[in-house]
Amino acid sequence: METDNTKKFNKLFYELEHCRKDKQRKKIGEMNEIIDEMNEEEHKFVFKTELYNKMNKMIEKKKMSMENATWMLKHIGYCKVLKDIWNTCFEYSESNSIFEEMIFYENKKKEGKNEKLLIDLCECYLLLNRHASSELIPISVPYLLKAASVKDESEETQKEVEMALLALSCVDQFYDLRQELYLNDTKEIIKYHQEHRNFTKLAYQRAWEFLINRLRYDRSFEDMIVNELHFVGEATRELEELAINDDWNRKKGEEGGIKTKKELILLRWLHTIVAYFCYCHLRNEENVVLIDRISYVFRAANDNHRGIGLWYSYPLINAVENRAVKVDALLKGRAIDAVLERMQRPKLDDEITVECLQFLKNVSNRLEEEEKDEKEEEERKATKRKVFEKMEEEGYEDTITSFHETLKIFNRRYYHGLSLKFSDYLVNV
């Protein structure tokens, strides 16, 4: 897909090896601005294995300094991760294995270790690599945490902090990282920001994403996340600030993709909240406020921003499916109201409706589970009655009956786990 952006970038790239270091840096600055403007198709068109191999040859022949190379590679990786672009070309390039060797070599040095180079190499490696080496991750994490712990609040330093945290958040959630390598430092980084509010919004979100993902294998610090660092309150505040005064009132029918940096950060917070509800099972009263905020933007985004509207349904589904909140909290947080309102719309041929059905199915399943504790059983019955009244009030039974045939299409096309039995979608007291 050749466009003005790809033509300009390729022209500048092939001029690099004929430039002096200072002029080369100026051209890379221009190239980084072009990368900012690239969409996913343009990114994949330009950043192929051949380009990374060419860069490696230029470094070997001293036609590009390592400093300039890492500057450009970090920016490529930054945009790739920020825009959630799936591109594995770097992993199959010569640069990937060269960077691995350099990280191992520099890290083993007893004297004369170049930590700045190590941090740059680790950032490039993690930002551009979907499948980082299990041997390199424990080496990279301490250096990146050190870079993210710098207290200087200058704009340049904060960009470096943001880059380090962005790279850290790329550590696969399936990787079981030893607690002593990350927990204390990450906690201090988050606490320092809470006291000084010095991070960019992206940096703060990524710090949380890195920490929450570690819960997958180690839930021993759940209490710290919930009651000391107050993740729920922080996430609620961030959602409010990102969503406030946003242009939710776009033209009717405009679906719109995720385009602005603000929207991309908002989307990443939703990813992190989904992970929180999956991995953290400590219930907290603040959950009601978070659910209410999610429900509010779910309503607002459904009209005019389908991309964000769809992602706002996932935390609600995970919250009920993983028992992270009581069903009563979903009522108080107006999640059930928001989902039922979505179900009343005449257009049901999209994924959001499927997710709404899954949410309601999970609610129904939860309300059918009898509690052993007598008091909790009474609470369950009372909540069940409220949910039934809410569904009856909204005419939910009629809605499901009206779209029986559509449900078959949903089940076949989107969500194979959905049942076709009406009783699964209704709450019977």
Side-chain angles (χ1 to χ4, degrees), residues 120-165:
D120 285 343
L121 291 170
C122 291
E123 287 173 348
C124 292
Y125 182 74
L126 287 177
L127 289 168
L128 291 166
N129 209 316
R130 282 276 182 176
H131 307 97
S133 161
S134 59
E135 294 177 323
L136 271 178
I137 290 174
I139 293 174
S140 302
V141 166
Y143 289 113
L144 295 177
L145 283 169
K146 187 173 182 179
S149 299
V150 177
K151 304 280 193 299
D152 181 3
E153 296 183 18
S154 68
E155 186 178 346
E156 186 179 349
T157 300
Q158 285 311 303
K159 283 182 181 177
E160 288 302 317
V161 167
E162 183 179 271
M163 191 72 75
L165 288 169

Side-chain angles (χ1 to χ4, degrees), residues 326-332 336 340 360-371 375-393 396-397 423-429:
K326 291 184 176 181
V327 175
D328 189 49
L330 299 169
L331 273 173
K332 291 176 182 175
I336 292 175
L340 290 176
L360 292 170
K361 180 171 179 282
N362 289 342
V363 169
S364 178
N365 289 341
R366 287 279 301 276
L367 292 174
E368 288 299 322
E369 297 170 357
E370 293 187 11
E371 299 286 347
K375 185 181 177 182
E376 289 189 358
E377 176 61 14
E378 284 302 311
E379 287 178 3
R380 181 188 71 85
K381 286 182 179 178
T383 302
K384 191 173 180 179
R385 201 170 294 112
K386 288 177 190 174
V387 173
F388 176 70
E389 288 169 359
K390 180 67 65 179
M391 288 183 167
E392 194 172 45
E393 181 185 314
Y396 178 63
E397 294 90 340
S423 59
D424 283 345
Y425 301 107
L426 303 178
V427 181
N428 300 304
V429 179

Side-chain angles (χ1 to χ4, degrees), residues 348 350 353-355 357-358 361 403-421 424-425:
L348 282 176
D350 60 32
T353 303
V354 174
E355 301 304 336
L357 287 173
Q358 186 63 26
K361 180 171 179 282
F403 292 99
H404 183 198
E405 291 304 315
T406 314
L407 281 173
K408 289 181 183 177
I409 296 170
F410 288 160
N411 202 50
R412 188 164 58 249
R413 286 180 58 194
Y414 296 115
Y415 209 105
H416 296 290
L418 286 174
S419 168
L420 295 180
K421 296 178 181 178
D424 283 345
Y425 301 107

Side-chain angles (χ1 to χ4, degrees), residues 32-48:
N32 285 346
E33 289 177 8
I34 296 170
I35 296 170
D36 288 334
E37 296 173 6
M38 286 183 181
N39 59 31
E40 184 170 356
E41 290 75 22
E42 290 171 325
H43 192 283
K44 288 180 177 178
F45 181 82
V46 168
F47 300 113
K48 296 178 178 175

Side-chain angles (χ1 to χ4, degrees), residues 250-341:
R250 300 178 187 186
K251 290 187 292 184
K252 290 289 180 186
E254 181 186 342
E255 290 189 345
I258 308 295
K259 295 174 183 176
T260 69
K261 185 173 181 179
K262 185 178 178 182
E263 289 170 346
L264 289 164
I265 298 170
L266 182 63
L267 185 62
R268 293 311 309 180
W269 269 109
L270 293 176
H271 278 270
T272 308
I273 293 166
V274 167
Y276 170 78
F277 283 140
C278 281
Y279 306 145
C280 187
H281 298 164
L282 284 183
R283 292 175 179 173
N284 188 295
E285 289 302 315
E286 290 179 318
N287 282 343
V288 174
V289 182
L290 178 59
I291 293 291
D292 185 75
R293 178 49 43 188
I294 291 170
S295 303
Y296 169 78
V297 186
F298 176 72
R299 278 191 177 101
N302 264 329
D303 279 331
N304 306 308
H305 204 311
R306 185 177 174 277
I308 286 179
L310 178 61
W311 269 99
Y312 263 88
S313 66
Y314 298 151
L316 301 179
I317 292 168
N318 278 273
V320 64
E321 189 170 18
N322 293 292
R323 292 166 172 73
V325 299
K326 291 184 176 181
V327 175
D328 189 49
L330 299 169
L331 273 173
K332 291 176 182 175
R334 299 183 294 177
I336 292 175
D337 298 75
V339 168
L340 290 176
E341 283 174 24

